[in-house]
Amino acid sequence: MSLVELIAQADERGLAASGLACLDRCVPLLGGDDEVLRPLWASLTDDADTDWAACLEQVRGKLEAEPAGEDAAGDEAVLLARGMLAHAPADRLSADVRVWADACSVASLRIHRLLDPGDDEDPVDARREGRTEDMSPLVAAELRRQTAVLELLAGHGGAGLRPALEVSTEGRRVLRAVVSRRARGRS
């Protein structure tokens, strides 16, 4: 099943986790640490006593206060990551969460493409629909991670959150290494 189809069939928790996972993998661009989004992940559990909207505001405040680097203001990848955070809906059960999850999917793939210019020029939408020939390893891995998160939530409900977070953590580490290598190349 294509990524577009998985997003279309996902429930509210799957959509929120999908968008959050994309944002989580791109946190290194925003200067955030590995724990900054944990409260949002925790708010998705069945027994959550935390409020998504309150956690989202805390995360926004923290990430906006974090420096993202000298050239971050004009960096398209950083702007895309900031957009994911800025457009996250305050109500994770609203219809807006589907639009946000879809936009995060596109933005995250675009970010990975910008950071790995070896990817061919096929549109990101073609990738999401299943055309995966000649993808760079970084973009292919991001596509696999997005698919895995949605499949984990669809197949396991709330029990899929921990493995989805693990998938996202792996992707964040990879992107952190890419961002670090890129920063060294600029100096």
Side-chain angles (χ1 to χ4, degrees):
M1 189 175 304
S2 76
L3 185 57
V4 171
E5 293 167 325
L6 287 168
I7 291 172
Q9 293 178 7
D11 65 8
E12 289 88 2
R13 181 182 0 229
L15 291 167
S18 176
L20 181 56
C22 289
L23 176 60
D24 196 357
R25 288 187 296 277
C26 295
V27 158
L29 292 166
L30 301 176
D33 65 32
D34 289 349
E35 300 298 316
V36 72
L37 297 180
R38 284 289 176 157
L40 284 170
W41 282 103
S43 74
L44 297 178
T45 63
D46 289 329
D47 59 348
D49 58 354
T50 55
D51 177 39
W52 168 273
C55 292
L56 182 59
E57 284 310 307
Q58 289 173 355
V59 167
R60 283 179 175 150
K62 188 167 188 157
L63 287 176
E64 287 173 5
E66 299 275 344
E70 279 180 35
D71 300 323
D75 188 327
E76 186 178 355
V78 172
L79 294 174
L80 287 166
R82 285 186 181 156
M84 283 191 268
L85 180 60
H87 295 102
D91 180 1
R92 74 171 183 89
L93 301 176
S94 74
D96 294 338
V97 77
R98 186 172 306 279
V99 173
W100 177 65
D102 193 59
C104 286
S105 170
V106 170
S108 186
L109 285 166
R110 286 186 61 205
I111 287 167
H112 284 75
R113 174 181 267 168
L114 287 167
L115 296 175
D116 188 1
D119 195 51
D120 69 7
E121 293 302 315
D122 277 353
V124 168
D125 288 337
R127 301 295 189 207
R128 296 174 68 237
E129 292 168 359
R131 286 181 273 169
T132 58
E133 317 71 50
D134 301 322
M135 279 195 310
S136 71
L138 190 63
V139 175
E142 174 58 13
L143 186 63
R144 283 192 305 274
R145 287 184 189 99
Q146 287 188 27
T147 301
V149 166
L150 285 161
E151 288 173 343
L152 284 163
L153 272 292
H156 303 286
L161 283 170
R162 181 172 299 281
L165 177 58
E166 291 169 3
V167 166
S168 188
T169 299
E170 172 197 353
R172 184 178 349 103
R173 287 182 185 135
V174 168
L175 196 67
R176 190 173 304 284
V178 169
V179 168
S180 176
R181 197 169 38 247
R182 182 178 178 213
R184 282 191 308 269
R186 286 184 175 172
S187 342

